[in-house]
Each structure stands twice: as structure tokens, then as C-alpha cells.
């Protein structure tokens, strides 16, 4: 039961997740909630954009990349 923000004219992520959704995703991956917080607030601070300035299209894909980088 997540609420989503609608895609705006600046081409940002079509549905930005709420923290509870991110937290749930990280818990399902057996990752501490503290890491979900770091991920969420990092992307909140970027306006849900990648490091190269491109809009983040899929937050779950970005979260999977984040988790991969934690392990490597």
C-alpha cells in the first residue's frame, strides 16, 4: 500500500518510493534497515537522479546495484 508521487515534467523517477517500501525491500534482501535509510536518503538528496545526473528510472534496480556494491 505505497503512495507514489507522479512523474513531473523534469523527468524524475515515475514513482518515487516511500521509506517504508524501501525498508521492506531491504528487509526482504536480508539487509539491515540502516542501509535502507542510507540508500533512501542518498537518493532523496539527489532528487532521485543517478550520479551522472540522469533521472533514476527504477529504484529497485538502483537498490540491487547498491546491494551488489556493498558486497564487492
Amino acid at each position: 500500500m505505497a503512495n507514489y508521487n507522479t512523474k513531473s515534467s523534469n523527468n524524475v523517477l515515475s514513482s518515487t518510493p516511500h521509506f517504508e517500501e524501501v525498508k521492506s525491500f531491504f528487509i526482504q534482501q536480508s539487509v539491515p534497515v540502516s542501509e535502507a535509510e542510507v540508500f533512501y536518503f542518498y537518493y532523496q538528496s539527489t532528487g532521485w537522479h543517478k550520479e551522472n545526473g540522469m533521472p533514476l528510472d527504477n529504484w529497485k534496480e538502483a537498490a540491487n546495484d547498491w546491494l551488489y556494491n556493498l558486497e564487492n
Side-chain angles (χ1 to χ4, degrees):
M1 181 162 88
N3 290 327
Y4 295 99
N5 297 322
T6 312
K7 188 173 186 176
S8 64
S9 60
N10 61 2
N11 203 23
V12 179
L13 183 67
S14 60
S15 58
T16 58
H18 288 274
F19 175 68
E20 289 300 317
E21 188 175 9
V22 173
K23 182 172 98 172
S24 176
F25 179 83
F26 275 68
I27 289 171
Q28 289 172 359
Q29 305 302 316
S30 301
V31 177
V33 172
S34 60
E35 195 61 37
E37 291 174 347
V38 173
F39 171 84
Y40 182 80
F41 290 113
Y42 170 78
Y43 278 106
Q44 277 289 100
S45 73
T46 68
W48 296 93
H49 284 78
K50 300 175 189 176
E51 288 182 5
N52 64 6
M54 297 296 294
L56 190 64
D57 296 322
N58 183 329
W59 75 265
K60 287 183 181 179
E61 184 177 304
N64 282 324
D65 289 344
W66 184 281
L67 296 177
Y68 175 80
N69 288 328
L70 282 177
E71 296 176 0
N72 295 304

